[in-house]
Amino acid sequence: MTPIMRGLGAARCATWAVLPALALAALGPPTYTAPPFPTSAFSSYYVAPTGTQQAQPVIVDPVSGKTYEPELTDPNTIPQQASIPPLPLPSGILDSSEYLRSLALAQILAIANSSAPAWKDSCTKCLAGTSVAKSLAAVAPSEIPTLAIELCEKLQFSSSCNVTFSILNYGALVAQLLQMADVAGLDGQNICNYIFNGLCPAPSASPLGDLSLWFSKPKPSDANEWVQRRRTQAGQRLKVLHLSDVHLDPRYSTGSEVNCTSSLCCRNPSSSQGVAHVQFPAPYYGAYKCDSPLALVMAAFQSIPNLTDTQATGFAWSIYTGDLVSHDPNNQLSQDYVTYTETVVYEQMKRYLGSGPLYAALGNHDTYPAHLDIPHAGLPDDIENEFSWNYEHLSTLWEQEQWISPNEAEQARAHYAGYSVKRQDGLRIITLNTDFWYPDNYFAYINMTNPDISGMLRFLTDELQAAEDAQERAWIVGHVLTGWDGSNGLPNPTNLFYQIVDRFSPHVIAGIFFGHTHEDMFSIYYANNATTISAATAQTVAWIGPSIVTLGNLNTGFRMYEVDSETFEILDAHTWYSDASSFSTLDHEGPGPTWKYEYSARDAYGGGINWPSDAPLNATWWHKVTERMEADPSLVQKFTTYQGKLSQLTPACTSADCVKQKICYMRSGSVPISRQNCQTPQ
């Protein structure tokens, strides 16, 4: 870290003291009650909204021209198994061999049940067993789904083995993974840790090696000077919307059981729950254990312009940090279900959120099978391109909505739905497919010694270098966060991401934005891999946006940023919510949910911090907030209350252990840092 960068905090204060005041953005009313369902939003319906049924609109896909059939979203006809395999089986030497499968099964069971010294622990057994399965996958991959079912049943891994490992579900995925992964090395250790629930200990992050191979140029010693020049300009406060995690459930069944014991709640009993008598009927606008009915999504979209006072102007731009699709098990999903959801949600965002562009990232649920994306790494074409249908659909949809250009759409097709937009105002917005550091993406366990097998982080680095060369600022938009408690990402790619952020902060990266947790959170990135954690070393902050969905005992919410038009730094963040516990009193005919202003980040956390009134809420400020939390633990409870969007069901955080751990999470921007620094309270 150069002396200039170390002194940037002081230099900022000196510069901000002479900045012209930026007028506070005007907001709408403190509360707004949504009107009833806007039937004019859709041209026709299979089922119009009633007191007992959600609206089921007729949707024509603007990309494919397909009219989606009513059975796709009918709550009474939810499939219990896919009709065609979601992924192809890889090729092998033999078409099939029941004999080889029986040998593999016997050998793996013998290893699992052995007490011999050679199989001394669960990790050794797991690695040996997966090696046997890999041998079968190389010769007769068509036998792998049946082998997986047999092992699952005999070792009692699950009560739904036939469904989970069917060729119509994860069967082909297991065969592909076994063929391509190094199951005797780091890949196998991670598979046995993540997929097999801790049979191997979690591997540490691998050394990254010579980072000069990643960065074509060193960080400029005078990098902050052009940022300082921007700060002396008379900027404006732009309104920028952050939405996340809609999780539309087009099969939501009003009046079904809210408090179910299996699968997704607020569904008809015949579909998933096995509930004989409904004790807690699902309200029309949603519930705490359910995904979002269309009624809630439309109520939110109608309310946002009124609450933010953007009815006439729209937002300067909006970001969406992923997860459109409901939390269905894979056997109830399909490509059509995903593209239907993408079409509905993005079309209604275009309708209600104004003329400004929306920049979106793909979430882990926004694909089929869920969580999966495969790297373009010299694999056979039928495997390498098996998710291109989704990149094609999303990129074309975004282009048709005029949010991105044809060139940017082509970039999205080539980079797993990730792309970079160079805006005319000097901001570069880079969206990423974060499935490549998500533990539930089983394809991320291929060649794990390479922290960037997908090339996604190389793409990010090249875009940030181009932004630095052009003296632009950049926003990074993704879904799965890289840090916090260490459970959301994989060690190697999140470690590399952290080093990329270090190299290009704070002079290029003006903000990082994630979703995924459904909660209102933040994460701070420090210089030199957080070897020293202080206000002086704080470089960048990730804003983790609240969700529209209420699943997880949360209220529904959204956020709007006030952004400096010259520096693209965030001057304040405003959050609104609606209390899902009030939805039981609402129906389709009367007024919809009431949305309320929740808080201003500057007002909620800024007391007691010596900070200029027009200075941005950057990483230095957020670190000072965490210092205040250490001095006043009640501020952690305030944060926790906002984390759940004022849900009465959010657990309190008042013990000394909880306070310490949560502050540590706020200061952890990668999985290795979280694991190293943050201890679980006893």
Side-chain angles (χ1 to χ4, degrees):
M1 188 177 189
T2 67
I4 288 181
M5 300 308 292
R6 289 193 190 100
L8 188 56
R12 283 174 177 156
C13 289
T15 301
W16 290 325
V18 298
L19 270 177
L22 299 179
L24 293 173
L27 302 179
T31 65
Y32 178 81
T33 300
F37 187 92
T39 54
S40 61
F42 301 95
S43 58
S44 59
Y45 292 83
Y46 292 122
V47 176
T50 69
T52 57
Q53 289 182 301
Q54 293 286 316
Q56 192 181 6
V58 178
I59 300 298
V60 179
D61 193 313
V63 177
S64 65
K66 173 188 297 186
T67 299
Y68 292 100
E69 298 295 330
E71 291 77 16
L72 180 68
T73 56
D74 188 336
N76 300 305
T77 59
I78 299 176
Q80 297 307 301
Q81 190 58 280
S83 57
I84 58 174
L87 300 173
L89 278 166
S91 57
I93 298 173
L94 302 175
D95 290 337
S96 63
S97 176
E98 184 177 345
Y99 173 70
L100 289 179
R101 189 188 79 240
S102 65
L103 288 180
L105 176 65
Q107 190 173 359
I108 294 172
L109 290 175
I111 292 170
N113 296 321
S114 175
S115 58
W119 314 117
K120 58 185 177 180
D121 55 43
S122 62
C123 184
T124 304
K125 291 180 178 182
C126 182
L127 293 174
T130 53
S131 294
V132 173
K134 181 179 178 68
S135 298
L136 179 63
V139 178
S142 63
E143 298 293 340
I144 291 297
T146 303
L147 176 67
I149 292 171
E150 292 172 336
L151 286 170
C152 176
E153 291 175 342
K154 291 184 180 298
L155 298 177
Q156 299 181 341
F157 284 154
S158 169
S159 60
S160 57
C161 301
N162 267 315
V163 173
T164 301
F165 294 109
S166 161
I167 189 64
L168 296 175
N169 199 342
Y170 273 147
L173 165 64
V174 175
Q176 291 184 17
L177 179 60
L178 286 169
Q179 275 200 359
M180 294 182 286
D182 176 14
V183 298
L186 184 62
D187 297 354
Q189 294 173 38
N190 278 282
I191 288 169
C192 289
N193 173 256
Y194 284 100
I195 298 178
F196 292 116
N197 297 322
L199 292 182
C200 280
S204 302
S206 304
L208 290 175
D210 185 1
L211 287 175
S212 67
L213 299 175
W214 271 86
F215 308 128
S216 60
K217 302 175 183 178
K219 182 184 290 188
S221 60
D222 60 347
N224 63 311
E225 290 186 3
W226 51 269
V227 180
Q228 300 288 19
R229 286 195 297 270
R230 280 181 176 269
R231 292 192 180 112
T232 62
Q233 304 300 312
Q236 298 177 338
R237 287 187 182 240
L238 305 176
K239 292 183 177 182
V240 176
L241 178 67
H242 184 176
L243 290 176
S244 197
D245 293 87
V246 165
H247 287 294
L248 171 67
D249 184 2
R251 297 163 171 165
Y252 183 101
S253 180
T254 305
S256 62
E257 181 60 55
V258 165
N259 195 26
C260 69
T261 57
S262 64
S263 191
L264 192 60
C265 297
C266 299
R267 291 288 184 80
N268 281 345
S270 60
S271 302
S272 60
Q273 301 155 358
V275 177
H277 176 68
V278 174
Q279 295 182 328
F280 301 97
Y284 181 70
Y285 286 100
Y288 285 127
K289 288 190 175 183
C290 307
D291 276 339
S292 303
L294 184 59
L296 175 61
V297 176
M298 299 304 289
F301 289 174
Q302 291 180 94
S303 301
I304 287 169
N306 291 279
L307 291 162
T308 58
D309 193 29
T310 56
Q311 306 97 312
T313 60
F315 297 98
W317 67 88
S318 300
I319 58 172
Y320 183 71
T321 48
D323 268 6
L324 305 165
V325 181
S326 57
H327 291 85
D328 288 76
N330 281 317
N331 56 292
Q332 296 180 3
L333 295 171
S334 65
Q335 289 187 14
D336 275 357
Y337 189 81
V338 172
T339 56
Y340 168 94
T341 305
E342 292 169 349
T343 299
V344 170
V345 176
Y346 284 130
E347 282 192 344
Q348 296 309 311
M349 285 182 179
K350 180 70 172 184
R351 175 185 292 270
Y352 286 100
L353 302 184
S355 58
L358 181 140
Y359 306 114
L362 183 144
N364 60 291
H365 283 277
D366 300 336
T367 186
Y368 170 69
H371 320 305
L372 301 183
D373 278 290
I374 195 164
H376 299 161
L379 305 176
D381 288 346
D382 59 338
I383 294 177
E384 183 179 284
N385 296 313
E386 58 195 11
F387 294 97
S388 60
W389 59 271
N390 200 23
Y391 313 143
E392 177 70 32
H393 186 262
L394 281 170
S395 60
T396 305
L397 195 62
W398 295 333
E399 180 186 351
Q400 289 184 353
E401 300 292 6
Q402 299 182 326
W403 293 333
I404 61 175
S405 71
N407 288 339
E408 292 152 0
E410 189 60 35
Q411 192 179 54
R413 296 182 187 101
H415 291 93
Y416 319 98
Y419 60 89
S420 176
V421 172
K422 182 178 179 180
R423 290 173 50 85
Q424 292 182 349
D425 54 15
L427 177 65
R428 188 176 297 239
I429 296 183
I430 307 163
T431 73
L432 302 176
N433 182 338
T434 58
D435 279 354
F436 292 107
W437 62 64
Y438 186 50
D440 285 352
N441 178 15
Y442 292 169
F443 290 121
Y445 299 97
I446 300 170
N447 191 11
M448 295 194 76
T449 56
N450 181 349
D452 187 34
I453 186 64
S454 69
M456 179 61 62
L457 294 177
R458 179 75 266 173
F459 165 71
L460 170 64
T461 304
D462 291 344
E463 289 298 321
L464 291 172
Q465 184 62 64
E468 181 180 81
D469 292 344
Q471 294 198 354
E472 299 167 347
R473 308 299 320 268
W475 279 17
I476 301 172
V477 178
H479 178 65
V480 179
L481 56 159
T482 57
W484 191 258
D485 65 358
S487 68
N488 297 286
L490 294 168
N492 285 354
T494 62
N495 184 27
L496 178 55
F497 181 88
Y498 202 100
Q499 311 317 312
I500 295 169
V501 170
D502 187 350
R503 164 62 182 83
F504 292 99
S505 296
H507 61 296
V508 175
I509 299 174
I512 303 172
F513 305 87
F514 293 127
H516 185 61
T517 67
H518 301 182
E519 296 176 332
D520 182 342
M521 297 155 52
F522 67 91
S523 189
I524 306 170
Y525 298 77
Y526 297 87
N528 300 321
N529 208 40
T531 51
T532 300
I533 293 178
S534 68
T537 63
Q539 297 207 91
T540 308
V541 64
W543 299 77
I544 301 161
S547 63
I548 294 295
V549 75
T550 59
L551 184 70
N553 293 329
L554 304 168
N555 285 327
T556 177
F558 67 92
R559 177 183 292 150
M560 185 192 79
Y561 301 111
E562 293 187 62
V563 178
D564 188 316
S565 64
E566 290 294 328
T567 66
F568 304 105
E569 295 167 317
I570 293 174
L571 300 168
D572 204 351
H574 305 277
T575 306
W576 290 262
Y577 79 103
S578 185
D579 186 352
S581 67
S582 68
F583 292 174
S584 60
T585 63
L586 307 177
D587 59 34
H588 75 293
E589 293 181 330
T594 296
W595 297 77
K596 300 177 182 179
Y597 184 76
E598 186 179 11
Y599 76 104
S600 149
R602 183 181 289 273
D603 292 345
Y605 299 117
I609 296 177
N610 183 17
W611 201 250
S613 60
D614 288 314
L617 308 187
N618 59 12
T620 306
W621 185 83
W622 279 110
H623 180 83
K624 289 178 178 290
V625 169
T626 64
E627 290 178 334
R628 279 197 63 221
M629 290 176 173
E630 289 174 321
D632 180 5
S634 68
L635 195 57
V636 175
Q637 179 54 39
K638 174 186 278 192
F639 168 87
T640 301
T641 301
Y642 292 148
Q643 192 176 352
K645 291 160 281 183
L646 272 61
S647 169
Q648 297 178 357
L649 301 179
T650 299
C653 184
T654 55
S655 71
D657 282 338
C658 183
V659 168
K660 179 181 178 181
Q661 185 186 52
K662 191 161 285 192
I663 293 172
C664 187
Y665 289 162
M666 297 170 189
R667 295 170 174 175
S668 299
S670 74
V671 170
I673 291 173
S674 181
R675 289 181 177 175
Q676 176 180 319
N677 294 347
C678 305
Q679 301 298 316
T680 302
Q682 300 299 315

